[in-house]
Amino acid sequence: KQEVTQIPAALSVPEGENLVLNCSFTDSAIYNLQWFRQDPGKGLTSLLLIQSSQREQTSGRLNASLDKSSGRSTLYIAASQPGDSATYLCAVTVSGNQFYFGTGTSLTVIP
Amino acid sequence: DTAVSQTPKYLVTQMGNDKSIKCEQNLGHDTMYWYKQDSKKFLKIMFSYNNKELIINETVPNRFSPKSPDKAHLNLHINSLELGDSAVYFCASGQGSTGELFFGEGSRLTVL
């Protein structure tokens, strides 16, 4: 069964710093990988979706990479801002309809 | 325009009661899901429907019964509520070809 792990569980950085969040999965036979952001008391907002044939995706200050063979993905956030404070979750799809979520990284950006 | 909407947002009820949560998506997606998020923020899939047909049914007590009247709606009915059912329940929808998931705001259920 697919297991998804995110490290670290919590991260606190000063504003302006670049940072990397990690996601690892045990079964490399994935359909795609998606990064989400969850604000307290809210639902999940999709940030980036990487198909299994892709190596990375970029959106603004966010860059996500995917290495299927090693079972890893990273989310790079450039020039962090206090508004980036949230929980970040990754999820892998093993078919078109089955998603497995990671445990999340709680990010705090200190002004 | 809310893409995935679920109601109610908050639900407080006594043990043993029956409650329902409704979900609607206006994205034209074929697949809808119910997820449960526990106190440690871990998200676990409960059910998945594709074009009104059940395709994923994880190990969930049969007190939980999903119903999909059409592909834009997926409701969750819970019978004989227990303390351990307290959680946030998220509805989501997606289109199989891209796999991107879109979530509702969540329904926080508290069982007293």
Side-chain angles (χ1 to χ4, degrees):
Chain A
K1 185 182 175 181
Q2 181 74 265
E3 290 186 7
V4 184
T5 306
Q6 291 184 244
I7 294 173
L11 183 62
S12 186
V13 300
E15 181 177 1
E17 195 163 293
N18 302 327
L19 59 102
V20 174
L21 307 180
N22 297 293
C23 172
S24 60
F25 45 96
T26 54
D27 186 346
S28 62
I30 64 169
Y31 189 81
N32 60 41
L33 184 143
Q34 196 168 354
W35 281 94
F36 293 88
R37 168 189 173 134
Q38 185 176 24
D39 293 289
K42 299 286 188 181
L44 280 69
T45 301
S46 177
L47 297 173
L48 289 164
L49 172 71
I50 311 176
Q51 301 293 346
S52 62
S53 58
Q54 297 174 323
R55 297 283 293 185
E56 65 177 339
Q57 282 286 343
T58 299
S59 175
R61 294 182 295 108
L62 306 179
N63 175 277
S65 68
L66 174 64
D67 184 343
K68 260 183 49 174
S69 59
S70 66
R72 292 182 182 180
S73 175
T74 60
L75 178 67
Y76 175 83
I77 303 177
S80 58
Q81 303 170 357
D84 295 330
S85 299
T87 296
Y88 291 81
L89 296 117
C90 67
V92 297
T93 319
V94 296
S95 70
N97 295 310
Q98 178 74 296
F99 292 79
Y100 289 92
F101 277 84
T103 46
T105 294
S106 177
L107 173 66
T108 302
V109 181
I110 304 164
Chain B
D1 275 352
T2 304
V4 182
S5 59
Q6 47 183 118
T7 56
K9 189 168 183 178
Y10 299 98
L11 211 52
V12 180
T13 189
Q14 300 286 333
M15 272 176 53
N17 284 349
D18 303 339
K19 289 294 177 187
S20 292
I21 308 172
K22 295 185 176 181
C23 180
E24 176 181 4
Q25 55 98 1
N26 62 6
L27 297 166
H29 290 157
D30 290 333
T31 309
M32 294 184 73
Y33 307 81
W34 277 109
Y35 281 87
K36 179 180 180 180
Q37 189 172 45
D38 60 25
S39 56
K40 294 183 180 177
K41 306 297 183 188
F42 185 66
L43 269 166
K44 187 172 180 184
I45 191 165
M46 299 173 68
F47 301 104
S48 171
Y49 269 72
N50 184 262
N51 274 322
K52 302 191 298 177
E53 291 198 19
L54 180 66
I55 53 171
I56 294 173
N57 183 353
E58 293 293 296
T59 309
V60 177
N62 58 15
R63 298 182 294 103
F64 290 78
S65 53
K67 283 191 171 47
S68 181
D70 55 61
K71 75 173 192 176
H73 296 84
L74 180 61
N75 304 323
L76 183 65
H77 188 76
I78 315 169
N79 290 326
S80 304
L81 279 157
E82 299 177 357
L83 292 176
D85 297 332
S86 296
V88 181
Y89 293 85
F90 285 99
C91 176
S93 74
Q95 195 69 6
S97 57
T98 64
E100 190 170 8
L101 269 185
F102 294 84
F103 278 80
E105 293 273 295
S107 296
R108 180 176 293 278
L109 171 65
T110 303
V111 182
L112 304 174

